[in-house]
Amino acid sequence: MNIKDLVTLALEEDLGDGDHTSLATVPHDAVGEAVMYAKQNGVLSGMEVAKEVFKQVDKEIIVDILITDGSKINVGDKVMVVKGRSRSILSAERTALNFVQRMSGIATFTNEIVNRIDGLHTKLLDTRKTTPVNRIVEKMAVKTGGGYNHRFGLFDMIMIKDNHVDFAGGIEKAINATLSYLRENNKDLKIELEVRNFEELGEALRVGGIHRIMLDNFSPAELKKALKIIDGKYETEASGGISIDTIRDYAETGVDFISVGALTHQIKSLDLSLKANF
């Protein structure tokens, strides 16, 4: 799915067979101007998506983006001005705001966490814990906030997690089956393996054939010990039980990546509004 298709679905969901309130109350030839402005401080994200919303509703609407994605915004800042048919502006308003508010909330929280690990080697990753169908914009927002994207879906990377290991009958069987699958299907995908303890880590290092090891629910002290054992042979990722208050402790171990599902699944939207400008 791309942005254009996502916006089309969102508008179909909201408009149905018509914005009957605007059709009933606003003259068909009325034109106007509206301003989108911030009601909270944060990091802005979603301007181009909002523009696509307005343009799909009415290609003649003029959209002027005043502040670009990734910028810090403060209460009262004007971020966008739209001009055109009043009915069209009203019909696009909520969908445009929904995208910008959600994306800005993600970008703001991501940026806050990124600042906690500033100056360290570790990169902050998102996960697949996203709102169905909205993954593309939520991952865009993570990047806007200074984070990095993990795999987009199940198709662009092999990630052998605990359930895969258990269903496969162990780490060695899971890795070997994966390598065979990739050869047989002529696929070139990186392989990440999740380990839950030092015993599984030892088995993973013995078997090999992977690119990254995810150390799940390891404490900072355990993580530091594990990194010494791995000794740079593989990329490393920490996940599980990591909060904004503890993330620097984990990053100071030198782990390559930390993945945080809360970037996209526990987010409060940033408050913005669109008001008629007379």
Side-chain angles (χ1 to χ4, degrees), residues 127-141:
T127 70
R128 287 170 46 246
K129 295 178 182 177
T130 55
T131 308
V133 189
N134 281 280
R135 182 170 296 168
I136 186 170
V137 292
E138 294 182 357
K139 282 183 171 282
M140 282 174 58

Side-chain angles (χ1 to χ4, degrees), residues 1-137:
M1 176 167 306
N2 56 39
I3 296 298
K4 184 176 180 180
D5 293 337
L6 177 59
V7 168
T8 298
L9 285 174
L11 287 171
E12 288 176 353
E13 175 185 61
D14 201 35
L15 290 174
D17 68 346
D19 174 7
H20 299 302
T21 307
S22 296
L23 292 170
T25 60
V26 179
H28 75 278
D29 58 350
V31 294
E33 177 180 298
V35 177
M36 187 183 295
Y37 66 94
K39 298 175 72 176
Q40 282 183 287
N41 300 340
V43 176
L44 185 64
S45 183
M47 288 290 94
E48 292 298 332
V49 182
K51 182 177 180 179
E52 177 66 21
V53 172
F54 285 108
K55 288 296 185 180
Q56 284 199 27
V57 169
D58 185 343
K59 63 183 180 180
E60 294 183 3
I61 285 183
I62 297 172
V63 179
D64 186 9
I65 296 173
L66 305 179
I67 301 179
T68 56
D69 285 1
S71 301
K72 297 287 182 68
I73 54 174
N74 298 302
V75 175
D77 283 350
K78 297 178 180 179
V79 302
M80 175 182 283
V81 176
V82 292
K83 303 173 184 178
R85 296 181 181 89
S86 301
R87 285 180 176 179
S88 298
I89 293 172
L90 290 167
S91 295
E93 172 188 3
R94 178 43 52 197
T95 300
L97 281 171
N98 283 348
F99 278 121
V100 174
Q101 289 178 313
R102 174 74 177 170
M103 292 177 69
S104 296
I106 291 170
T108 299
F109 185 58
T110 298
N111 189 252
E112 185 178 354
I113 297 182
V114 167
N115 288 337
R116 297 290 182 100
I117 59 174
D118 183 50
L120 300 177
H121 163 75
T122 306
K123 294 180 179 179
L124 177 67
L125 297 177
D126 56 20
T127 70
R128 287 170 46 246
K129 295 178 182 177
T130 55
T131 308
V133 189
N134 281 280
R135 182 170 296 168
I136 186 170
V137 292

Side-chain angles (χ1 to χ4, degrees), residues 221-267:
E222 291 170 333
L223 184 59
K224 193 171 184 179
K225 178 181 176 182
L227 293 178
K228 287 183 179 179
I229 295 172
I230 296 169
D231 193 27
K233 295 182 177 69
Y234 302 101
E235 291 182 346
T236 55
E237 178 181 335
S239 183
I242 302 171
S243 70
I244 189 171
D245 295 321
T246 62
I247 193 166
R248 191 168 183 90
D249 293 333
Y250 284 86
E252 285 176 344
T253 65
V255 68
D256 295 318
F257 304 97
I258 295 177
S259 52
V260 178
L263 294 183
T264 52
H265 80 82
Q266 293 183 9
I267 290 299

